[in-house]
Amino acid sequence: GTGADIDRLRVALGATGWYLSDDGHLRAFSGVDIATGGRAALDEQLNRLRSSTADPGLLIGTAKDLLESVAKFVLEELGYPTTNKMDFGQIWHIARERLGVLPQQVDPNVPGADQIRAIHQSTWQIAEQVNALRNLQGTGHGRTLPTGITEELAFLVVREAGSVAEYMLSLLERAKGSG
């Protein structure tokens, strides 16, 4: 991608508590000024955050914001701007369609087609369930997630959301490179 694309992505991600590392990986941060202190200071704060954030609600909310921002970014980059009337599911559906990862877009003649379809569907199920969990939590201060959402599960959700987001971004790079 171009430098301008990457800069726009960094801004979009920054608003949601994530940043794009120099090697292209998504990382979470909280209250970190990435303009100062350099990469070493940032990594140190990230490691502290990862070991100290025991707030499943914050983690789930961050994962949801990341997924929404990535889907919107995909659409904007592909010349399909989003509107405020579009909900999370609509944005994700169109982003997936534009990147060719809807299950029905998988060529049935490709070896492993059924498995590829299932994996693509699971990426949406992760996004959908993260959004649903976030909505369960509500936006009011002090609202909590169901007690079954442990810190461990919340970290799994964040990792899975990050993997899905990275997959979508890599597909976007490929789509733009061949376009």
Side-chain angles (χ1 to χ4, degrees):
T2 68
D5 293 345
I6 299 299
D7 289 344
R8 282 200 305 282
L9 176 59
R10 288 184 198 278
V11 169
L13 292 174
T16 69
W18 289 78
Y19 79 99
L20 193 63
S21 69
D22 294 337
D23 58 355
H25 287 71
L26 291 163
R27 302 284 183 247
F29 65 87
S30 177
V32 178
D33 181 0
I34 57 175
T36 61
R39 179 68 186 265
L42 182 57
D43 285 340
E44 185 184 324
Q45 287 184 285
L46 284 170
N47 289 331
R48 242 186 322 219
L49 169 72
R50 285 198 194 99
S51 61
S52 67
T53 298
D55 180 350
L58 179 66
L59 291 168
I60 299 288
T62 302
K64 183 260 181 182
D65 291 343
L66 169 71
L67 288 168
E68 188 164 20
S69 290
V70 165
K72 284 180 176 174
F73 181 75
V74 165
L75 293 181
E76 285 164 17
E77 290 296 299
L78 296 177
Y80 195 103
T82 57
T83 69
N84 291 336
K85 293 190 173 107
M86 297 167 70
D87 68 18
F88 184 91
Q90 289 172 308
I91 293 166
W92 261 87
H93 183 85
I94 299 166
R96 289 162 64 225
E97 178 185 52
R98 299 284 150 150
L99 293 176
V101 295
L102 292 177
Q104 61 267 34
Q105 291 173 300
V106 176
D107 179 350
N109 300 310
V110 169
D114 289 347
Q115 292 75 23
I116 294 166
R117 266 197 295 273
I119 289 166
H120 281 162
Q121 185 60 23
S122 74
T123 63
W124 161 239
Q125 287 168 342
I126 288 165
E128 182 182 36
Q129 297 311 317
V130 168
N131 186 47
L133 270 179
R134 178 65 185 82
N135 291 343
L136 269 184
Q137 185 187 10
T139 52
H141 185 69
R143 298 262 186 97
T144 55
L145 287 163
T147 53
I149 310 300
T150 61
E151 183 183 351
E152 292 81 8
L153 182 57
F155 274 117
L156 173 64
V157 168
V158 166
R159 286 192 302 271
E160 292 298 314
S163 295
V164 169
E166 285 192 51
Y167 181 57
M168 296 289 279
L169 292 171
S170 61
L171 292 175
L172 173 65
E173 285 300 306
R174 175 181 290 213
K176 292 187 70 177
S178 65

